[in-house]
Amino acid sequence: MSTRLNINDKLPLTCSRKGTCCHGNLVMLHPWELATLAREKNVNPRVFRDLYCEFGGIRLRFNGVVGWKGKQACSQYIGNFGCSVHLGRPLACRLFPLGRQIQGEEVHYMYQGEKFPCMEGCPEVSELPYLTVGEYMNDQKTEKFEKAQDEYLNFMQNLADIAFELLLETGLAESGDKETLPLWRKMGNELPEVLADRIGYEWMDILMIPEIYAEIDDPASFARKHTDLLQSKVQEKFGALQTNLEFHKASVFIMGVALHLARGLGVNPEILVEHWIDTAKNLGAAE
Ligand code: SF4
Ligand code: SF4
């Protein structure tokens, strides 16, 4: 259940800076956000990923000091100070207590539940100035981070398209294959640590810590370079495949990478994979 918002809705969006929401929360990341956090922390993305993230880099680790309601703080939270990477904080943190949902071409903002989320831990916000959703977005400088999210949603779809091509344009589906779609579904329902293991270190590094840091100020350019890197890796690994078994394995593998990234983008992989399976069936695949 969520409450959908209009850009002019006025809400108690002035933060009381108690750090409540930096405890026991889930903050997902995509590759550009990981690189941006690493720059803010003044370490390289691999170091940031290995020290502060989970599942290959798609989630910030919450292993800090226990605070609000006995929950551990984010790895970036410093007691009596706040966020140590404030200027590089990811979109989820910029938006909180709001969220961003994308349905087709439409984007809208919302918050979880019917009660305004800050009220539970920080009821004093009702005494602070109210802001419109639009004013809040401006204050939080979300524009570049929303652009980056859109770029990586495209990137995710491009990855899935490779899995579709390996299934539908190689003769695999036509051969009567019924093994590929059930494995797509299995991965959509797997725990993130299991899917991360399936992907392995080499591909996880290409997915989450690509070496293109000069482009970081422009998320579109960063994502484009990242796409080029990934395409050349796909070409190197899958360009010479010949048998249906090889196409099947490659399709499953790339779909796994797309679903892992989906989770980092805050998309539910269980729902997404069902949509992709339906699409593949409409195009001639079977299970
Ligand atoms: S719960 Fe709301 S008011 Fe409290 S620290 Fe988080 S954003 Fe600020
Ligand atoms: S990155 Fe910063 S704002 Fe986000 S949860 Fe961690 S400490 Fe809080």
Side-chain angles (χ1 to χ4, degrees):
M1 180 66 200
S2 63
T3 301
R4 197 167 167 157
L5 302 168
N6 289 316
I7 208 80
N8 293 321
D9 285 345
K10 269 199 148 177
L11 296 159
L13 282 163
T14 302
C15 178
S16 64
R17 300 189 180 275
K18 276 191 352 205
T20 306
C21 52
C22 297
H23 293 77
N25 224 328
L26 291 179
V27 177
M28 309 309 292
L29 302 174
H30 59 70
W32 182 81
E33 287 184 321
L34 199 162
T36 302
L37 279 165
R39 181 171 68 169
E40 194 56 33
K41 200 83 174 173
N42 220 5
V43 296
N44 78 45
R46 180 182 297 278
V47 170
F48 189 90
R49 192 266 308 267
D50 293 348
L51 284 176
Y52 304 124
C53 301
E54 297 180 300
F55 314 135
I58 61 161
R59 196 167 90 181
L60 265 180
R61 201 167 269 157
F62 272 60
N63 60 349
V65 174
V66 170
W68 182 65
K69 276 195 162 181
K71 295 176 181 176
Q72 279 191 286
C74 170
S75 56
Q76 304 310 304
Y77 186 76
I78 299 175
N80 299 323
F81 173 76
C83 179
S84 64
V85 286
H86 183 72
L87 294 176
R89 69 199 185 286
L91 183 62
C93 303
R94 286 169 193 269
L95 288 179
F96 192 88
L98 309 185
R100 182 178 192 247
Q101 283 183 338
I102 302 164
Q103 281 166 340
E105 298 292 296
E106 210 186 309
V107 175
H108 66 262
Y109 302 98
M110 37 65 74
Y111 58 76
Q112 290 297 342
E114 289 174 21
K115 190 174 166 199
F116 191 67
C118 297
M119 288 303 179
E120 191 189 352
C122 303
E124 66 280 2
V125 291
S126 62
E127 309 296 325
L128 299 173
Y130 279 46
L131 301 172
T132 67
V133 171
E135 286 167 340
Y136 185 63
M137 298 296 162
N138 267 341
D139 284 0
Q140 295 293 315
K141 299 188 171 54
T142 58
E143 194 179 340
K144 198 196 269 190
F145 289 76
E146 293 186 75
K147 171 85 184 146
Q149 188 183 46
D150 294 342
E151 291 292 339
Y152 269 96
L153 285 166
N154 281 337
F155 185 101
M156 173 196 78
Q157 186 61 54
N158 289 340
L159 277 172
D161 287 347
I162 297 171
F164 276 92
E165 282 168 26
L166 286 160
L167 173 60
L168 298 165
E169 293 175 21
T170 56
L172 174 59
E174 276 176 15
S175 75
D177 166 80
K178 291 190 176 164
E179 309 292 322
T180 306
L181 296 185
L183 280 175
W184 285 10
R185 176 174 292 114
K186 183 170 181 226
M187 293 185 300
N189 290 274
E190 261 169 2
L191 291 171
E193 54 269 41
V194 177
L195 191 49
D197 273 355
R198 193 190 273 279
I199 292 167
Y201 292 111
E202 184 187 358
W203 279 87
M204 193 62 86
D205 286 359
I206 290 167
L207 178 67
M208 292 308 295
I209 49 170
E211 294 189 4
I212 40 176
Y213 309 124
E215 308 287 336
I216 195 163
D217 283 319
D218 178 358
S221 163
F222 186 93
R224 255 195 316 277
K225 288 252 165 157
H226 197 179
T227 303
D228 292 346
L229 259 182
L230 207 118
Q231 291 284 4
S232 60
K233 189 72 182 173
V234 166
Q235 193 52 37
E236 175 198 323
K237 292 282 180 185
F238 303 136
L241 303 185
Q242 287 185 340
T243 67
N244 280 342
L245 181 60
E246 288 172 331
F247 293 135
H248 159 77
K249 284 187 176 168
S251 176
V252 170
F253 182 79
I254 290 293
M255 183 51 82
V257 179
L259 288 166
H260 199 62
L261 177 61
R263 190 178 260 124
L265 285 159
V267 181
N268 182 330
E270 288 177 34
I271 295 172
L272 181 62
V273 81
E274 291 305 327
H275 165 69
W276 280 337
I277 288 171
D278 285 347
T279 306
K281 283 184 180 170
N282 287 335
L283 294 168
E287 63 174 331

